[in-house]
Amino acid sequence: MATQEQPKLLCAYLAVGEDALKRRTVLERLRKRVSQIGDLEFNHDEFDGERATGSDIAVACNTLPFASDLRLVEVVHAEKLGKQDVDVLCAYLSAPCASTVLVLSADKLAKNSRLYKAVAAIGKSAIIDCAPMKRYELVRALRSMAIGHGATITESAAEKLVSYVGEDTIKLDAELRKLALGHCGTGPITDAEIESLVARTNEAKPWELVDAFSARDAKACLRLLPLLGSTSSYALIGMCTTRLRELSCAKSLDSRGEGHALAETLKVPSWRVKNHIAWSRKFTAQELQGAFSTARDCERAMKSGSDPDATFRTWLFETIGA
């Protein structure tokens, strides 16, 4: 059976986006491809755009390979190159060396910048998008990444790992590798393993507390409150009140057998309200109605001299336990 040939390597690439793991993977794959064509031991240069000059990079690119068909030149933090250095690189890219593959890696680089346009002119596949994934995409990707480390992970555990570590894919991959090495048995990695083996380094997101409030999970609320950092109690009471409105709507639709129409009714994506029906069933209609009144009183007290944090926390746990 004939194998599909890989596309010919271009003279330059730009891996741009805030997903550090994607950028690292792009560099590793290009390094592997070039190494299959030539020897990289004497034909590989690495530069940091924060310290390197455009002249040094251009000289490395114009150097002929030694006992090899190709050279590889990598530049990380390309967005930090100075104006004069960018000018030199753009001049090089207008007539690049055919025996060199230049790979630029940047966290951010505007599409209308000279360097971006110069690389884009090399070919259709010269720009490699490394934009970060949305959270729900990241959770799905984590489950696939775990398989690469010889393990599986539940969806809730993947969610918890993101909440503990943040959305930095390099850190997430490192934690997955550690979890896979310490995992016993053939079952998936669970929430309990995340809680016992992963140190929380990420500030909790306000919506995590609102979700725990919606689930009437007092234990989770107690754990999350100290991790919210600079999020004010005024913002939290507003978010909780908004969620109460959504749960009231969910309960009303659910009672009529129309829960499937919740996302359309609220005019939000379906993933945004995937748990709302289940959460609404944890409250009676009277409890939700009463929570609006107590939320009004709570906010009034917060703005009238009472300690806002203590007042909000009292309301939160009284509502959960009502």
Side-chain angles (χ1 to χ4, degrees), residues 57 61 81 90 103 125 139 166-167 170-171 180 187-188 193 207 223 230 248 296 299 301 311:
I57 297 169
C61 289
L81 287 164
C90 288
V103 186
S125 58
V139 170
E167 298 181 8
I170 295 288
K171 292 179 181 177
E193 288 174 270
W207 58 261
R223 176 174 54 82
S230 59
S248 293
R296 175 202 60 202
E299 188 170 9
T311 303

Side-chain angles (χ1 to χ4, degrees), residues 12 45 68 88-89 95 131 159 199 202 253 258 264 266 269 283 307 320:
D45 290 299
S68 177
V88 173
L89 275 187
E159 286 267 13
N202 185 48
L253 289 172
E258 299 174 4
E264 183 181 356
L266 294 176
F283 294 87
D307 183 301
I320 287 174

